[in-house]
Amino acid sequence: MEVYVDYMLVNSKQSKSHLSDLAEAFGVLRKYPMKLNPAKCAFGVSSGKFFGFMVNNRGIEANPEKIKAVLEMEAPKTLKQLQCLNGRIAALNKFVSSSTDKCLPFFEVLRKKGPFEWTTECEQALEQLKNYLCSAPLHAKPLPGDKLHLYLAVSDSAVSSALIKQEGVRQSPIYYTNKAMIEADTRYPQMEKLALALVTAARRLRSYFQAHTVVVLTNLPLKNIFHKPETSGRLMKWAMELSEYYIQFKPRTALKGQVVADFIAELTPQSQSIESDLPWTIYVDGSSNERGCGAKILLLAPGGERFEYALRFNFRTSNNEAEYEALLAGLRVAKELGAIHIKVFNDSQLVVNQIKEEYQTKDPRMEKYLSKVRSHLAQFETYEVNQVPRSENSNAGALAKLASAYETYLARSVSVEILDNPSILEPDVMEVDTPAPSWMDPIVEFIKGNLPQDSKEQKKMARKAARFILRDRALYRRGFSLPLLKCVTPEEGLYILREIHEGVCGNHSSARSLSAEVVRQGYYWPTVEQDAKQFVKTCDNCQRFANIIHQPPELLTPISAPWPLAQWGIDIIGPFPLGKGQTKFAVVAVDYFTKWVEAEALTHIIEPRVTSFV
């Protein structure tokens, strides 16, 4: 028997036992004088409507009347009709997987200001939704003690989940959840979006999570994120919220149901047509005036990403030299970002034509700049340098003038580099000393393919190297919810600790906070925590200006006497060898406060002699 407020349902697995079950239910009703409305009662039915859903021996189905209302609805012509459509779809969210993604065109029309416009995308979404509702899945009912499985999915605009019941080799859905992400949520890393999907499912399906063991099926290290020491505050809060439930994490196995197979889109790579064959676009411009010299670089990736970079020169230079410095910096940044094909645009006619060999270079400094630019261009597979009017290069030119006038006071977040010397004056340095071996060398050699001879050492190194990646001849450590951490030597780590602890923005934090800040800044070495503790211990300012510890170094001894001669201790000692006057005993008194001692020799221990001594 199942009761919810004024709804009561008596179900039986077999028709033979149904009468006895009804008799038991009526007995309970008679015990507590309760009456039923005959007009609202139905007996001996194989299916019926319960709380707005159709319940039968196969499971729970959506109300056909609600599905029919959506199927018969025509394309909305007004905003009110669209709101009515969204309301009807919301009543069926339990049976529609990823309903937020399916209804995304409707939401965009609702958010749009101005006259109502029913677009082609909305019409296609409505047709797809109607086709889906024609074969809506049958939901199962979990029994007490059942272990439920949860699938998670993340898209560009929403997070979804599917709660599944395993019945032998068959998987049946129990509930679908969906949540549209706000603008701040869309900027989460993919792993945090997956964690958000789990937290959303736990909040909306709280009763299922409290009554059953939920197994999250995912091939991603979601469990490790919630137990990671350097977890962000948001993930730590979610981990505390999920700690009240019994949640297990297992790798995802083969899908045994078409409904589940259609739902799964977990962390599907975004459909970005960014290919290495597409060129990067680079706008560069330099500026030199009476306030100073600077340059600006604007890089546009094939996928539409925008990167801005500004330079400030601490030396005087001409406009043409500033243009060359901007071009060299743009080529360096593009190479570091992994660009292979580039298109460079500059508004300097002299610089562009010198690179194209249409103008001759007579100035020795211009020849050095031109040689350095050509050596940088040779690192790309294809390149193209074009001149654009100054009006089309306004974005780069405006920031170049701003960078030349002010050192780092830019209106938005732009990376600023300060050059102390011209690029053509960089000395050629030859490394003579061989770098000392570090903890990174075995890992780098293993990643490059130089395996150890010992099989045990090889397995050990394989487990260790799985957490690292080699990029541009630099070693990085992988993180679950953090960017790649650059690996440094302990000597470099000491400099990083010093800058973070007592640098310009240092606040002389404790060892634990210092090591966590190093990780947040993107650096890693194995002994970061131990080095942070040792560094804080040896910091002179921390020792000099730290809070004074008033705790005594050892346990204090209580004083029983508050002032001198207030309390004495008296005792009799002996016998001793006979002394002068046949004395062989002694009575001794000691003051507890001053430790003053008084003593008198006695021949016999008798009351009058002791009393006279006192």
Side-chain angles (χ1 to χ4, degrees):
M1 184 175 182
E2 299 180 10
V3 179
Y4 185 83
V5 190
D6 57 346
Y7 281 83
M8 290 187 294
L9 177 66
V10 180
N11 51 32
S12 304
K13 294 183 178 180
Q14 297 179 357
S15 58
K16 297 179 181 180
S17 61
H18 188 56
L19 292 178
S20 60
D21 294 338
L22 286 176
E24 184 180 355
F26 285 140
V28 175
L29 295 176
R30 291 191 186 98
K31 182 178 180 181
Y32 304 94
M34 299 181 65
K35 297 180 181 181
L36 302 179
N37 187 353
K40 295 183 178 181
C41 295
F43 299 95
V45 295
S46 59
S47 63
K49 185 186 298 185
F50 182 71
F51 211 67
F53 302 108
M54 298 302 298
V55 181
N56 53 39
N57 58 349
R58 296 183 301 151
I60 304 174
E61 296 180 355
N63 193 339
E65 297 177 359
K66 296 181 180 180
I67 295 179
K68 183 179 179 182
V70 176
L71 296 178
E72 293 181 351
M73 190 171 184
E74 298 180 355
K77 298 181 180 179
T78 61
L79 187 63
K80 188 174 182 180
Q81 292 180 357
L82 180 57
Q83 293 174 347
C84 180
L85 174 62
N86 284 338
R88 295 180 179 181
I89 297 174
L92 299 171
N93 273 347
K94 171 183 170 68
F95 300 91
V96 180
S97 65
S98 303
S99 62
T100 303
D101 293 329
K102 292 182 172 64
C103 300
L104 183 61
F106 307 153
F107 300 150
E108 293 178 351
V109 173
L110 290 175
R111 297 194 197 101
K112 186 178 180 181
K113 297 181 180 180
F116 177 80
E117 182 182 359
W118 183 256
T119 61
T120 306
E121 292 80 5
C122 295
E123 186 66 30
Q124 294 177 356
L126 181 59
E127 291 298 326
Q128 294 176 0
L129 187 61
K130 289 181 178 180
N131 295 334
Y132 181 87
L133 292 176
C134 290
S135 58
L138 181 69
H139 285 202
K141 174 194 171 184
L143 300 177
D146 285 350
K147 183 178 289 187
L148 308 182
H149 297 78
L150 185 70
Y151 289 94
L152 305 176
V154 176
S155 65
D156 295 336
S157 58
V159 292
S160 308
S161 64
L163 191 64
I164 304 299
K165 176 184 178 181
Q166 186 79 30
E167 298 176 334
V169 296
R170 180 170 169 265
Q171 291 178 333
S172 302
I174 297 176
Y175 214 111
Y176 292 116
T177 63
N178 306 273
K179 180 183 183 298
M181 292 187 291
I182 60 177
E183 183 181 358
D185 297 341
T186 58
R187 294 192 291 268
Y188 289 174
Q190 286 291 84
M191 290 300 300
E192 291 194 15
K193 291 181 181 179
L194 187 65
L196 176 62
L198 176 57
V199 174
T200 302
R203 291 172 180 173
R204 297 188 179 180
L205 306 178
R206 182 180 179 86
S207 58
Y208 291 99
F209 275 70
Q210 289 178 335
H212 300 272
T213 299
V214 179
V215 180
V216 180
L217 300 177
T218 175
N219 291 330
L220 298 170
L222 189 59
K223 179 180 179 180
N224 297 337
I225 290 180
F226 291 117
H227 297 83
K228 194 174 178 64
E230 59 268 23
T231 299
S232 64
R234 177 170 52 249
L235 287 174
M236 188 63 68
K237 182 181 68 174
W238 291 345
M240 293 296 295
E241 183 178 349
L242 296 175
S243 61
E244 64 172 305
Y245 310 119
Y246 187 60
I247 302 176
Q248 299 178 356
F249 296 87
K250 291 184 179 180
R252 197 171 64 201
T253 56
L255 305 178
K256 301 178 178 63
Q258 185 60 38
V259 175
V260 181
D262 294 339
F263 168 80
I264 294 302
E266 180 181 313
L267 290 182
T268 303
Q270 301 178 356
S271 58
Q272 299 177 349
S273 57
I274 303 177
E275 300 181 3
S276 59
D277 296 337
L278 299 178
W280 287 57
T281 305
I282 307 174
Y283 291 91
V284 296
D285 191 20
S287 175
S288 177
N289 50 44
E290 65 279 1
R291 293 185 177 182
C293 307
K296 167 65 181 14
I297 302 100
L298 177 63
L299 293 93
L300 301 178
E305 293 86 352
R306 179 188 179 101
F307 302 94
E308 295 182 356
Y309 196 76
L311 294 95
R312 163 75 181 177
F313 305 149
N314 283 346
F315 54 89
R316 300 301 303 177
T317 182
S318 63
N319 272 326
N320 292 331
E321 293 177 354
E323 297 285 357
Y324 269 114
E325 290 285 356
L327 181 56
L328 289 172
L331 296 177
R332 288 197 303 267
V333 174
K335 187 63 179 177
E336 293 177 359
L337 292 176
I340 301 177
H341 311 277
I342 59 172
K343 288 184 179 181
V344 183
F345 295 94
N346 194 313
D347 55 13
S348 174
Q349 182 179 3
L350 175 67
V351 173
V352 173
N353 289 327
Q354 284 181 349
I355 296 175
K356 292 183 176 180
E357 298 182 355
E358 295 180 2
Y359 286 2
Q360 295 181 354
T361 53
K362 298 181 179 179
D363 188 357
R365 292 179 62 86
M366 292 293 104
E367 291 181 356
K368 293 182 179 180
Y369 272 115
L370 181 59
S371 175
K372 200 168 188 64
V373 167
R374 286 176 177 171
S375 64
H376 280 69
L377 289 173
Q379 300 177 4
F380 301 93
E381 292 187 6
T382 60
Y383 63 87
E384 183 179 345
V385 183
N386 299 314
Q387 180 191 1
V388 294
R390 187 171 297 273
S391 59
E392 297 182 11
N393 203 29
S394 58
N395 288 338
L399 197 56
K401 294 179 180 178
L402 188 61
S404 65
Y406 306 97
E407 293 188 2
T408 56
Y409 300 101
L410 300 179
R412 53 188 181 276
S413 177
V414 178
S415 300
V416 180
E417 180 184 359
I418 299 178
L419 296 182
D420 296 325
N421 299 306
S423 300
I424 58 176
L425 297 182
E426 293 180 356
D428 296 332
V429 180
M430 181 176 62
E431 185 177 359
V432 177
D433 297 334
T434 304
S438 67
W439 65 273
M440 297 180 287
D441 295 340
I443 301 176
V444 173
E445 293 297 326
F446 185 87
I447 295 177
K448 289 182 178 180
N450 301 326
L451 307 181
Q453 298 295 333
D454 188 6
S455 60
K456 293 184 179 180
E457 187 68 22
Q458 184 175 346
K459 292 180 180 179
K460 180 180 178 181
M461 189 57 61
R463 290 192 299 268
K464 183 185 297 185
R467 303 177 182 178
F468 296 87
I469 186 174
L470 194 64
R471 287 189 175 180
D472 296 333
R473 294 178 295 180
L475 188 65
Y476 294 87
R477 190 178 190 271
R478 302 177 188 270
F480 295 117
S481 60
L482 297 172
L484 295 177
L485 304 178
K486 185 176 181 180
C487 299
V488 297
T489 61
E491 292 76 14
E492 296 171 338
L494 183 61
Y495 173 77
I496 295 172
L497 290 174
R498 185 181 300 108
E499 287 295 321
I500 296 177
H501 185 72
E502 57 187 21
V504 177
C505 299
N507 58 352
H508 291 271
S509 56
S510 62
R512 183 176 179 181
S513 301
L514 181 59
S515 60
E517 185 63 26
V518 169
V519 175
R520 283 194 293 269
Q521 293 298 327
Y523 298 99
Y524 172 81
W525 67 97
T527 59
V528 57
E529 296 183 358
Q530 294 87 337
D531 293 349
K533 292 179 181 178
Q534 187 64 28
F535 185 85
V536 172
K537 288 181 180 179
T538 57
C539 178
D540 180 71
N541 291 330
C542 288
Q543 303 298 325
R544 192 181 298 274
F545 300 104
N547 295 330
I548 299 176
I549 301 176
H550 297 279
Q551 182 179 1
E554 60 182 13
L555 295 177
L556 298 179
T557 302
I559 300 176
S560 57
W563 53 79
L565 307 179
Q567 188 174 359
W568 291 77
I570 301 177
D571 199 1
I572 298 174
I573 57 177
F576 296 106
L578 292 176
K580 186 177 180 180
Q582 300 295 317
T583 58
K584 58 180 179 179
F585 297 99
V587 57
V588 181
V590 180
D591 179 31
Y592 278 12
F593 189 88
T594 62
K595 309 303 180 186
W596 180 266
V597 179
E598 290 286 347
E600 183 179 346
L602 302 175
T603 58
H604 296 87
I605 303 173
I606 57 177
E607 182 180 355
R609 298 299 302 271
V610 175
T611 304
S612 64
F613 170 77
V614 174

